[in-house]
Amino acid sequence: KSYKQVQFHLHEGNAYQINLTFPFDFDLKTTVDPNCYNTFMGNSNAASFAQSIYWPKQNITFLSNSPETLFSARLKQNGQWRISSKPIKGTANSGEWEKLKDSKKDQAELLMITDLVKNDLNFLSDGNAVVDHLKERLDVPGLVHQYSEVSTQIPGSTSVGKLMRSLFPGGSITGAPKKRVCELIDEIE
C-alpha cells in the first residue's frame, strides 16, 4: 500500500524521489557503554569510515558504518567552522565504475541531491556553499560509490541545533524536494 502511494505521488509530479523506509526495533540483552567508540571501531565488520558519536545531554549514541556523511565540522584558524557534506547516489559492484559514472539515472540523482545539500548549507551561510567535488569515486569493500562534496563556512558561534535543523534529515535519505518529501513520508509511513 505504501509503495503504491509513493508511485502515485511520483507519477503526479509531487516529488522527484521518495525513499520509503520502515523502522527496526531491537531489544539489547546487555548494557551498552554509551561511549562505545572503541568497541565499534575495533569491530572487524566496521569499515575505515565508520563513525560513532555520543550525545551526553540526550544520552544517545549514534553508530554508522556508512561512507555517506551528513556533515563533518572542522574548526578553522579564523574561528569559523568548515562544514562539509558528502551525499552518495549511485552504487555498483567493484570493477563497474565506468558503467556507474556513465549511468544517466545515477548522475541525475547525484546532481539533484548535491543541489539539495548545497541549498541546505546555503541557509547556514547566506548563500556561500560551494561544490568542492562532483561525481567522485569512492571504493569500499566489494562496491564503488559515486559521491559529491559540498561545503561552506559558518560562524564558530553556530549551535549544533541550528546545524541539525538545517541539514537533518539528509536529502539523500529522504528524497527531493526535501520539505515536500518529508511531508509525504510522514503521511505514508
Side-chain angles (χ1 to χ4, degrees), residues 10 28 41 43 46 64 68 93 101 113 119 133 180:
L10 292 173
L28 300 176
M41 297 308 258
N43 181 338
S64 174
E68 187 163 38
N93 291 324
K101 78 175 189 171
I113 296 305
N119 186 55
H133 301 281
R180 179 63 177 134

Side-chain angles (χ1 to χ4, degrees), residues 8 14 38 52 106 119 145 185 187:
F8 170 79
N14 297 328
N38 290 333
S52 72
D106 290 313
N119 186 55
H145 297 293
I185 288 172
E187 175 187 308

Side-chain angles (χ1 to χ4, degrees), residues 124-145:
L124 291 168
S125 64
D126 298 323
N128 293 316
V130 296
V131 177
D132 298 306
H133 301 281
L134 183 62
K135 296 191 283 185
E136 294 290 327
R137 177 184 177 138
L138 175 65
D139 289 287
V140 299
L143 299 172
V144 61
H145 297 293

Side-chain angles (χ1 to χ4, degrees), residues 145-180:
H145 297 293
Q146 176 180 249
Y147 78 95
S148 293
E149 182 176 9
V150 185
S151 70
T152 196
Q153 289 189 44
I154 61 174
S157 60
T158 306
S159 71
V160 172
K162 182 174 182 179
L163 189 57
M164 291 297 288
R165 281 189 297 278
S166 178
L167 299 177
F168 188 82
S172 63
I173 302 300
T174 60
K178 188 163 90 171
K179 184 177 179 182
R180 179 63 177 134

Side-chain angles (χ1 to χ4, degrees), residues 8-88:
F8 170 79
H9 286 293
L10 292 173
H11 288 288
E12 288 295 308
N14 297 328
Y16 303 109
Q17 179 182 38
I18 302 171
N19 296 326
L20 183 64
T21 63
F22 53 91
F24 287 99
D25 291 322
F26 297 96
D27 289 326
L28 300 176
K29 305 273 189 248
T30 182
T31 303
V32 176
D33 176 4
N35 190 8
C36 57
Y37 178 83
N38 290 333
T39 303
F40 178 62
M41 297 308 258
N43 181 338
S44 62
N45 292 324
S48 61
F49 42 74
Q51 302 175 52
S52 72
I53 186 171
Y54 175 60
W55 197 337
K57 283 188 174 183
Q58 303 298 321
N59 195 27
I60 295 174
T61 300
F62 296 94
L63 303 174
S64 174
N65 198 29
S66 170
E68 187 163 38
T69 305
L70 176 62
F71 75 90
S72 62
R74 301 280 184 256
L75 189 59
K76 297 181 61 88
Q77 288 183 336
N78 64 5
Q80 292 196 323
W81 289 101
R82 180 185 184 272
I83 306 297
S84 66
S85 181
K86 292 182 182 174
I88 292 175

